[in-house]
Amino acid sequence: MRDVAKLAGVSHQTVSRVINEHPNVRAETRERVLAAMRSLNYRRNLAARTLATRESHTLGIVGFETTLFGPESMLYGIESAARAAGYLVSVATVRDLSHRPVLEAVDRLVQHGVDGIIAIAPKPAVTTALTHAPAGMACVAVGGDGQAGFPTVRVDNTAGARLATRHLLDLGHATVHHVAGPLDWPEAQARVDGWRETLYAAGAVVPPVTAGWWDAAAGYEQGRRLAADPAVTAVFCANDRIALGVLRAMHESGRRVPEEVSVVGFDDMPDSGYFLPPLTTVHQDFAELGRRALALLLRHLDLPDGDTPPDGVVVAPRLVPRTSAAAPAG
């Protein structure tokens, strides 16, 4: 730092202010210091900074190994928001969303000296493990049902299911069938709740729920069964990959979409508009989830010891109408 100060013709305190983006530095001086840093290939010593401030400026993220669009997009959204705010990110992934592996991931992050932890929490075991983080460690969960006991950021899955189901009823369908995700995931259960509540409120018949994994194979399997029932005219799928499987099953069975059967998904994957037909779906803003999660964690970090953590955040989804849903024939 002193070499940079000498080359730029300023004090080392001024160099420190530039590095820490202090506003009270003239633009000309700031540029001279930055030019000297580039010339000398200067990099701040993060280890020394951590020792001096007792802050690593690193955030921990607990994720899990998956190709599922939702959790994968949550991870990307959180990482992008953290880096945009100038934080380093340390990610600990687990294969199994049970208590012990998640707790071990939290311990690894704590040992790396992270300032706080954001966990992607599709199952209760994740939030339970976070409650065992060391006292004073700020934690935020993304996803789940909002019953974690600490700040949570989540999409209103129940409201999203209501949007999808209400859209199909408004098109004139007598009822709506639902192909659900795994019911031990709070998001899947919330979508079932929103679908069922909307049908009850409309006085419509509530068909049995069919549940499976979050993939096209599960959608295809359930779609073949639904396609064999001529009374089925509308299907709400728990995610877009399930909807893809349902669309194929309908096509192979000779049930035209949307002329004979309407199909609506959930997620709004980037490819959803290129399904055949383009999929009507419920959009989740994963970038916004990441920004909200980071903002919530930073508020938590700024709290004096003993203060109550900030309230959770619920992000509203929105319906994206395309051409896979239409009024029933006749």
Side-chain angles (χ1 to χ4, degrees), residues 50-176:
T50 298
L51 287 171
T53 65
R54 296 188 179 182
E55 294 178 355
S56 65
H57 223 59
T58 300
L59 302 180
I61 302 176
V62 178
F64 70 103
E65 296 179 13
T66 181
T67 58
L68 293 177
F69 175 72
E72 206 173 47
S73 299
M74 287 180 191
L75 177 60
Y76 179 75
I78 296 164
E79 283 188 292
S80 297
R83 287 175 178 148
Y87 280 85
L88 299 174
V89 173
S90 179
V91 180
T93 58
V94 296
R95 292 183 179 178
D96 179 11
L97 287 173
S98 58
H99 180 79
R100 185 179 180 85
V102 176
L103 188 56
E104 290 172 351
V106 170
D107 287 342
R108 288 200 303 273
L109 293 173
V110 171
Q111 290 168 19
H112 279 82
V114 298
D115 296 335
I117 295 173
I118 299 176
I120 298 169
K123 297 183 75 173
V126 179
T127 52
T128 301
L130 285 184
T131 63
H132 294 283
M137 174 60 68
C139 296
V140 169
V142 181
D145 56 9
Q147 307 298 315
F150 48 82
T152 303
V153 180
R154 61 187 177 88
V155 168
D156 192 336
N157 287 282
T158 303
R162 290 194 193 107
L163 287 173
T165 309
R166 184 74 259 170
H167 177 65
L168 290 164
L169 292 175
D170 287 346
L171 287 171
H173 295 277
T175 191
V176 178

Side-chain angles (χ1 to χ4, degrees), residues 23 45 69-70 106-107 120 143 150 156 166 180 185 202 206 221 248 255 257 260 265 275 278 283-284 300 312:
N45 187 325
F69 175 72
V106 170
D107 287 342
I120 298 169
F150 48 82
D156 192 336
R166 184 74 259 170
W185 287 49
V206 181
E221 180 183 348
R248 176 175 171 177
R255 301 291 303 278
V257 177
E260 297 176 67
F275 287 10
H283 176 79
Q284 301 191 74
H300 199 345

Side-chain angles (χ1 to χ4, degrees), residues 3-5 7-8 31-42:
D3 291 339
V4 172
L7 182 60
E31 185 50 45
R32 199 161 69 245
V33 170
L34 292 174
M37 290 169 64
R38 289 191 293 269
S39 174
L40 294 171
N41 197 27
Y42 173 84

Side-chain angles (χ1 to χ4, degrees), residues 147-270:
Q147 307 298 315
F150 48 82
T152 303
V153 180
R154 61 187 177 88
V155 168
D156 192 336
N157 287 282
T158 303
R162 290 194 193 107
L163 287 173
T165 309
R166 184 74 259 170
H167 177 65
L168 290 164
L169 292 175
D170 287 346
L171 287 171
H173 295 277
T175 191
V176 178
H177 292 255
H178 182 41
V179 182
L183 297 182
D184 59 339
W185 287 49
E187 283 95 342
Q189 186 59 59
R191 293 170 199 179
V192 170
D193 293 343
W195 161 78
R196 184 180 286 123
E197 289 167 8
T198 305
L199 292 181
Y200 276 136
V205 172
V206 181
V209 175
T210 59
W213 187 241
W214 298 104
D215 60 7
Y220 178 72
E221 180 183 348
Q222 299 299 335
R224 290 183 65 186
R225 185 186 59 77
L226 292 170
D229 183 353
V232 173
T233 66
V235 183
F236 163 47
C237 302
N239 75 356
D240 291 352
R241 292 176 69 180
I242 292 173
L244 178 62
V246 170
L247 288 174
R248 176 175 171 177
M250 292 297 168
H251 174 73
E252 290 184 356
S253 301
R255 301 291 303 278
R256 294 175 299 154
V257 177
E259 292 84 356
E260 297 176 67
V261 181
S262 290
V263 178
V264 174
F266 201 113
D267 275 346
D268 194 23
M269 292 167 49

